[in-house]
Amino acid sequence: MPLYEHVFLARPDISGQQVDQLIDHFKQVIADNGGSVGRTENWGLKTLAYRVNKSRKAHYALMDIDAPSAAVSEMERQMRLHDDVMRYLTIRVDAHEEGPSVMRQKRDRDDRRRRDRGPRDGDGPREDRGPREDRGPREDRGPREDRGPREERR
């Protein structure tokens, strides 16, 4: 049977539990039509790139599907009719990825990078400059040598 990756967006005003119920409902639709669903991931509430149905956010969910095309067509038909589903996308793949999806890996990588790096830039004083008092007031430093007075620059 062909393999598919399916991502859908659910309305932002429903809870995470309701999104899990949607996933279970569509898994049952696939199973009733002779297919199976492997990995499922609820990516949570995320900001959209542009407004969809007057919403700026949506719940994202991923499903790895091993089913005939008729089962996927039936699931997509039911998603079009369902009020809580805003958008969906199904693509055919040669093989399903092992382990967590890229969305899950990204979050892990960012956490690891932040821990390894130490304090963020701008968290403390700059080491290449001393305190402001050591540099003296601006007017004591005089005009810049590469420029003349303001009248001559115009």
Side-chain angles (χ1 to χ4, degrees):
M1 280 190 276
L3 303 174
Y4 300 94
E5 282 188 0
H6 179 80
V7 177
F8 69 91
L9 307 178
R11 287 186 334 188
D13 56 344
I14 65 173
S15 68
Q17 266 184 334
Q18 289 172 313
V19 174
D20 291 336
Q21 290 173 354
L22 279 174
I23 292 171
D24 292 338
H25 171 72
F26 294 121
K27 282 171 82 170
Q28 187 61 43
V29 170
I30 293 292
D32 291 345
N33 288 294
S36 65
V37 177
R39 171 183 66 175
T40 61
E41 291 182 359
N42 184 349
W43 294 339
L45 191 65
K46 297 196 168 290
T47 305
L48 298 170
Y50 55 89
R51 284 187 178 197
V52 176
N53 297 344
K54 299 181 182 178
S55 298
R56 293 185 181 274
K57 293 188 174 200
H59 289 276
Y60 282 69
L62 167 77
M63 299 184 338
D64 284 346
I65 300 171
D66 182 11
S69 62
V72 175
S73 297
E74 175 61 20
M75 181 188 65
E76 289 178 345
R77 185 187 73 79
Q78 289 193 17
M79 283 193 171
R80 278 193 301 273
L81 298 173
H82 207 287
D83 291 335
D84 290 336
V85 178
M86 296 167 50
R87 295 280 192 276
Y88 62 87
L89 177 69
T90 307
I91 59 170
R92 186 172 177 176
V93 293
D94 294 328
H96 289 148
E97 294 179 11
E98 296 296 323
S101 66
V102 175
M103 293 296 286
R104 294 286 182 198
Q105 291 172 1
K106 179 181 174 193
R107 184 176 311 155
D108 295 341
R109 185 189 73 219
D110 288 344
D111 292 342
R112 206 172 36 244
R113 223 165 94 212
R114 197 165 287 135
R115 276 194 315 263
D116 295 344
R117 185 173 58 194
R120 288 177 161 240
D121 294 336
D123 285 345
R126 288 183 53 177
E127 285 119 19
D128 61 337
R129 294 185 183 172
R132 180 81 179 133
E133 303 86 46
D134 292 348
R135 291 187 289 161
R138 280 197 184 276
E139 55 272 356
D140 289 348
R141 286 189 273 171
R144 289 183 53 184
E145 296 172 9
D146 59 340
R147 294 188 207 160
R150 193 176 257 326
E151 295 82 36
E152 292 176 13
R153 284 189 297 176
R154 291 184 188 188

